[in-house]
Amino acid sequence: MNHRISKTIVAEAERTGRGIAVEQLTGIRVRVRLRKPQRATLHSWAFAQLGQFLTYKAQRAGVVVVQVDPAYTSQTCHACGHVDKRNRRSQAVFQCGRCDFVGHADHNAALNIAARGVERPGEVMRPDAAPILAAS
């Protein structure tokens, strides 16, 4: 499963000319609190293996992979940058207390992770953020 997931992610990054930004997954099993039935799923997923597969496949394809600190990505509004624990209304719903942006909580967190990847100079670059070079 991890081979298929990593292959798909790297192929999309290569096709679009983008890098890959992922959360630093170190210590995730200790950080995450789940109910008993969900723990089995979490502990059976090989996060480290997925990271290794992403890294080596991206390296082969010439795609940059950046690990970013996931702190507060689920509590930060990607639209205005407001950080508040109350922004995360539920597991699925994100609603900013400042700008009233409403969206799926995981999608909002993913946008924050992507933005942190772009902030790392010269590493992950989106085509729409890249400078336009004149053809010679």
Side-chain angles (χ1 to χ4, degrees), residues 62-122:
V63 173
V64 176
V65 176
V66 177
Q67 291 188 353
V68 298
D69 182 6
Y72 304 104
T73 53
S74 66
Q75 298 174 11
T76 304
C77 177
H78 84 277
C80 73
H82 177 63
V83 181
D84 192 334
K85 188 176 181 179
R86 294 170 296 194
N87 285 346
R88 185 79 183 250
R89 301 295 168 133
S90 69
Q91 184 66 27
V93 178
F94 180 92
Q95 182 175 0
C96 181
R98 181 185 290 159
C99 73
D100 291 327
F101 166 80
V102 177
H104 193 282
D106 289 340
H107 184 249
N108 180 72
L111 292 171
N112 286 324
I113 290 167
R116 289 183 185 182
V118 173
E119 287 170 4
R120 301 212 14 209

Side-chain angles (χ1 to χ4, degrees), residues 18-38:
R18 298 179 183 192
I20 301 167
V22 295
E23 291 183 35
Q24 291 172 327
L25 297 175
T26 308
I28 191 165
R29 289 185 174 103
V30 177
R31 288 193 320 259
V32 176
R33 295 185 191 144
L34 297 170
R35 293 182 179 157
K36 196 170 186 175
Q38 296 168 319

